[in-house]
Amino acid sequence: MFRVIRPAVSSPFIKTSLRSQFTPASSAISQRLYTAAMSTISEAIKKDHRELEQYYNEVINSTDHDHQQRFGNQFTWELARHSVAEELIVYPAFEKHMGEKGHKMAEDDRKEHHKVKELLKEFQNMHAESVDYVPKLKELWGPLSEHIKEEEEHDLPAFEEALVKVAGGKSESEKLAKQFGLTKAFVPSRSHPSAGENPYFESAMGMLAAPIDHIADIFRKFPENKISPNPSTK
């Protein structure tokens, strides 16, 4: 029997939704959650970043519309979930363990996320046949790549250092990675900027949108042999 592992999150909306929505996941997603549980939070986030870079390059370096659409959908699926999981798990941890410095880091990152999510909402509704498809993705990648660089070079090293000092170091980082990976399985897979970046409001709005997004994913094309909630074979 598949055992439910509940993340230690404070929002009642998340706890309720996780209990009501959980079903046994595919072996691929289960393995991904297990891998996240064995890594630090920095490693889990960087892994997502490298995947986003891969999907971005698959789109911009191809002239095949079907290929571009599949990887564009995969890019959207990964970025939407990654962003919300950071806002629900990682940024509150910045504030908890790093005080005023962590609060400023979190607020700056939330502002950057909002800009990216606005652009992602435009991109996710486009078709690869459109002449604006690749230019829109490149426009999105500009602020996203800057955010990734800032996060990897500044925010995450400072956060890991703070965890060593105040919260048990690697064990706490691994705990956050586990929560981060599990949260990604239940949050929306499309961009919803109107939900904002506040953990409580976003968790309520996001959990309402997530089931709709996940059902719609059934009808979207995804790359073969990639992890997604409903990989298409169309």
Side-chain angles (χ1 to χ4, degrees):
M1 175 156 315
F2 199 98
R3 182 168 64 89
V4 178
I5 302 174
R6 294 183 176 86
V9 292
S10 58
S11 169
F13 300 110
I14 299 176
K15 292 178 180 178
T16 299
S17 297
L18 290 180
R19 285 196 295 268
S20 63
Q21 294 184 33
F22 190 86
T23 57
S26 69
S27 59
I29 293 179
S30 298
Q31 179 61 37
R32 187 165 183 169
L33 295 179
Y34 176 79
T35 301
M38 301 301 291
S39 64
T40 65
I41 187 61
S42 293
E43 289 166 347
I45 290 173
K46 288 177 182 179
K47 182 176 184 297
D48 281 3
H49 291 169
R50 301 292 82 77
E51 290 181 1
L52 287 168
E53 290 171 353
Q54 176 194 346
Y55 305 150
Y56 169 77
N57 285 320
E58 289 285 351
V59 175
I60 67 167
N61 292 323
S62 176
T63 57
D64 181 86
H65 291 157
D66 182 73
H67 185 88
Q68 290 176 319
Q69 191 70 61
R70 290 177 186 275
F71 278 94
N73 286 341
Q74 189 74 20
F75 179 91
T76 296
W77 181 81
E78 183 61 52
L79 180 55
R81 295 161 52 255
H82 173 90
S83 298
V84 176
E86 282 192 335
E87 290 155 14
L88 295 180
I89 301 298
V90 181
Y91 299 162
F94 283 1
E95 296 170 322
K96 177 181 178 181
H97 297 300
M98 299 181 69
E100 184 60 32
K101 179 180 179 180
H103 177 73
K104 184 179 186 305
M105 281 170 45
E107 284 301 298
D108 289 345
D109 285 341
R110 288 180 182 118
K111 291 176 183 177
E112 292 171 3
H113 269 203
H114 188 76
K115 181 178 181 180
V116 169
K117 286 194 287 186
E118 290 280 4
L119 291 168
L120 182 60
K121 184 178 181 180
E122 296 177 24
F123 174 74
Q124 71 190 18
N125 294 318
M126 299 176 69
H127 298 287
E129 292 80 5
S130 170
V131 294
D132 297 321
Y133 190 75
V134 171
K136 178 57 67 175
L137 182 58
K138 289 182 176 180
E139 180 185 358
L140 186 164
W141 187 253
L144 177 59
S145 62
E146 287 298 317
H147 172 75
I148 288 173
K149 181 179 179 180
E150 176 69 15
E151 206 166 53
E152 293 189 2
E153 293 182 358
H154 176 262
D155 293 2
L156 293 175
F159 183 49
E160 295 287 359
E161 182 179 349
L163 289 179
V164 170
K165 293 179 181 178
V166 302
K170 187 174 181 180
S171 63
E172 180 65 18
S173 186
E174 289 174 344
K175 178 182 176 182
L176 287 168
K178 185 176 181 180
Q179 294 171 10
F180 178 75
L182 185 56
T183 299
K184 284 173 59 182
F186 298 96
V187 295
S189 57
R190 308 287 276 180
S191 179
H192 301 279
S194 60
E197 286 72 45
N198 178 276
Y200 286 96
F201 184 66
E202 184 178 58
S203 60
M205 295 293 291
M207 290 307 170
L208 291 174
I212 299 173
D213 287 351
H214 296 174
I215 290 172
D217 282 336
I218 296 173
F219 304 99
R220 297 188 179 105
K221 294 181 177 181
F222 288 94
E224 301 296 337
N225 303 319
K226 288 292 180 183
I227 300 173
S228 56
N230 297 292
S232 173
T233 57
K234 292 183 285 184

